[in-house]
Amino acid sequence: MGTLVQTLASSPSTLSTYAVGLATHEGEAHAATGVTAYAWLLVALPLLGAAVLLLGGRRTDRWGHLLGCATVIVAFVLGLILTVDLASSDSMAVSADLFTFISTGSLDITAGLLIDPLSMAFVLLITGVGSLIHVYSIGYMAHDEGRRRFFAYLNLFVAAMLLLVLGNSYVALYVGWEGVGLASYLLIAFWYRRPAAATAAKKAFIMNRVGDVGLALAIFIMFAQLGTTSYEGVFAGVGTLAGGTITAMGLLLLLGACGKSGQFPLQAWLPDAMEGPTPVSALIHAATMVTAGVYLIARSAPIYDLTPTARTVVLAVGAITLLIGAIAGCAYDDIKKVLAWSTVSQIGYMFLAVGLGPVGYVAALAHLYGHGFFKAGLFLGAGSVMHGMNDSVDMRRFGGLWKKMPITFATFALGYLALIGFPLLTGYWTKDAIIEATFDRGDVWGWLLGGAAVLGGAVVVAGALLAVTSG
């Protein structure tokens, strides 16, 4: 793995282009033709499913969950087709303009989608893991009177998350960003009659608004200084700006990323969000919403490449957060909160990686992908244990469950081994790549940050071991 990291580091321009797609490619994205012209269906399908389930009311109770699953599964299949088509084409990026979103004075924003390696990687993660979680939710929520409403909120969340990663401008990203915030509030507060759930949803919503202010201000600066908010226009012109302006833009984008991804100093909302149904934890707090901040920084690579100060702050935030998450997770007996703090820590590793620059982008995205799968599996396993224990989350009351729930124990154990970086499993390749890339900086900061990453990994092993051996 060390040889791999060194190879990647030796060709940063090639790596950066591969990792962030349009963020570093030269020239304009090609116009959408053929199957890519139907990319808008990726967002439209789950959005339509949410509208039908919410507006159809109780008349859709008997089949609403099937519709909710179908829209996301079809979106996944379409995502696969688009990915194969992109891989076989000569262009790394395809742009699909849909309609004029805002046209007033000098502000002209076209609503459009960008199909490139970065966006499609997230599309497959969101719809792939999302489809599995939707299917799992059919049984998990079978006896809940609000199951139809639950699937409507899940579809709404998936639609917003897809818009976030597919939009071709920071304004389109922001619309999806706010949609994700709304949907997460509705899902965390799904059992709103429980005071703890209602409080957790408000806490998540308010803390995310703090981060959203940073993202909004960064977009304002882009338009004021460059006259555009499109990725292509911003990345083409950012090099002409003063260093202080670029740094301010990078720090404000980081503030938005910290809010959505539960990073220091806005990390407190994420563990409390476990008050929602367990499928919500698997979808939002493992595979999708909490990775939006990593996506934002990776997409904004051309900005961070020009501001070492902002990139250093990203490194510091990642290192601090991974330690906070690892240590805090060991202090809880609630199985879902242990996993939540583990998520905070793992996202910290991703922030640490993207802060390293070109060599870190691929490592961060690889860990993001692997984490989305094994952490979703851990949360779904926790949901299975909760059902078997009459919704108890206190691990001190568990024991010997492997005899009664062998399949759950096996899947949970595999997720644990992937999380700690057991040889030949996901974390072994991705987390170790981040740690080695950090040490490969070769300076004092590299050794300090690498040491923090190693220490955080050791603490995570201990905390996760507590969770898996409780069964």
Side-chain angles (χ1 to χ4, degrees):
M1 182 61 71
T3 302
L4 173 61
V5 171
Q6 292 171 5
T7 302
L8 295 177
S10 67
S11 54
S13 60
T14 302
L15 172 63
S16 187
T17 300
Y18 175 79
V20 298
L22 183 65
T24 54
H25 91 291
E26 296 180 0
E28 296 182 357
H30 292 190
T33 57
V35 68
T36 54
Y38 297 96
W40 59 273
L41 287 172
L42 288 170
V43 179
L45 286 171
L47 186 61
L48 177 63
V52 170
L53 294 179
L54 289 173
L55 299 177
R58 295 181 178 178
R59 288 171 293 184
T60 65
D61 281 350
R62 296 182 60 183
W63 47 267
H65 55 287
L66 300 177
L67 175 64
C69 290
T71 58
V72 182
I73 292 173
V74 173
F76 173 65
V77 173
L78 178 58
L80 281 175
I81 295 173
L82 288 170
T83 301
V84 172
D85 183 74
L86 180 67
S88 61
S89 70
D90 296 329
S91 175
M92 283 190 63
V94 177
S95 179
D97 292 336
L98 301 179
F99 57 88
T100 299
F101 181 57
I102 299 175
S103 182
T104 175
S106 60
L107 179 61
D108 189 8
I109 299 175
T110 299
L113 304 179
L114 175 65
I115 298 93
D116 70 351
L118 180 61
S119 63
M120 293 314 300
F122 273 83
V123 165
L124 293 180
L125 178 65
I126 295 164
T127 57
V129 175
S131 297
L132 297 176
I133 293 171
H134 273 69
V135 173
Y136 175 94
S137 299
I138 293 177
Y140 192 90
M141 303 296 290
H143 303 293
D144 196 296
E145 295 180 355
R147 182 169 68 167
R148 181 259 313 164
R149 178 168 55 90
F150 180 76
F151 275 89
Y153 294 162
L154 283 183
N155 270 200
L156 178 62
F157 175 86
V158 170
M161 192 69 201
L162 288 171
L163 176 60
L164 189 158
V165 300
L166 283 169
N168 65 354
S169 70
Y170 281 97
V171 170
L173 178 146
Y174 189 79
V175 173
W177 196 272
E178 293 301 318
V180 165
L182 170 63
S184 67
Y185 171 82
L186 295 173
L187 286 166
I188 296 169
F190 181 75
W191 290 319
Y192 57 87
R193 291 184 177 87
R194 300 180 182 180
T199 300
K202 287 186 288 185
K203 183 176 182 178
F205 191 80
I206 293 171
M207 293 193 75
N208 271 269
R209 297 290 75 72
V210 174
D212 293 354
V213 169
L215 177 56
L217 291 175
I219 295 173
F220 293 158
I221 292 175
M222 292 172 191
F223 176 71
Q225 296 294 320
L226 300 171
T228 181
T229 61
S230 71
Y231 294 143
E232 190 172 354
V234 170
F235 299 154
V238 68
T240 65
L241 301 179
T245 301
I246 301 174
T247 298
M249 198 183 301
L251 292 176
L252 289 170
L253 289 172
L254 174 60
L255 178 60
C258 287
K260 200 65 75 184
S261 292
Q263 297 293 284
F264 177 83
L266 300 176
Q267 79 282 0
W269 69 267
L270 200 152
D272 289 347
M274 298 301 105
E275 292 295 335
T278 300
V280 174
S281 303
L283 179 64
I284 295 182
H285 307 123
T288 52
M289 175 176 168
V290 293
T291 62
V294 181
Y295 171 83
L296 176 61
I297 295 177
R299 176 62 77 189
S300 304
I303 296 175
Y304 286 97
D305 287 346
L306 297 175
T307 171
T309 300
R311 208 161 68 185
T312 299
V313 177
V314 175
L315 283 169
V317 167
I320 292 171
T321 308
L322 72 88
L323 287 174
I324 290 175
I327 295 171
C330 294
Y332 284 87
D333 298 311
D334 183 322
I335 188 171
K336 288 178 66 178
K337 288 195 174 182
V338 170
L339 294 176
W341 279 112
S342 168
T343 297
V344 171
S345 180
Q346 297 307 302
I347 301 296
Y349 278 98
M350 299 173 206
F351 270 64
L352 177 63
V354 292
L356 293 172
V359 71
Y361 297 142
V362 165
L365 295 174
H367 192 52
L368 182 153
Y369 229 79
H371 176 266
F373 281 92
F374 66 67
K375 186 55 66 66
L378 286 169
F379 271 115
L380 297 181
S384 178
V385 170
M386 289 169 59
H387 267 209
M389 295 296 292
N390 295 319
D391 287 334
S392 172
V393 294
D394 189 345
M395 293 186 296
R396 294 172 299 179
R397 300 182 180 275
F398 300 168
L401 294 180
W402 65 272
K403 300 176 183 177
K404 302 292 184 180
M405 310 174 71
I407 296 177
T408 297
F409 178 78
T411 57
F412 204 96
L414 285 172
Y416 160 73
L417 293 174
L419 171 63
I420 67 172
F422 190 81
L424 303 182
L425 295 182
T426 308
Y428 174 75
W429 303 109
T430 60
K431 189 191 295 185
D432 281 13
I434 294 173
I435 294 173
E436 292 181 20
T438 305
F439 278 117
D440 279 349
R441 279 175 57 102
D443 55 11
V444 175
W445 276 107
W447 283 96
L448 287 175
L449 296 171
V454 171
L455 176 60
V459 176
V460 165
V461 171
L465 182 62
L466 173 65
V468 76
T469 55
S470 296

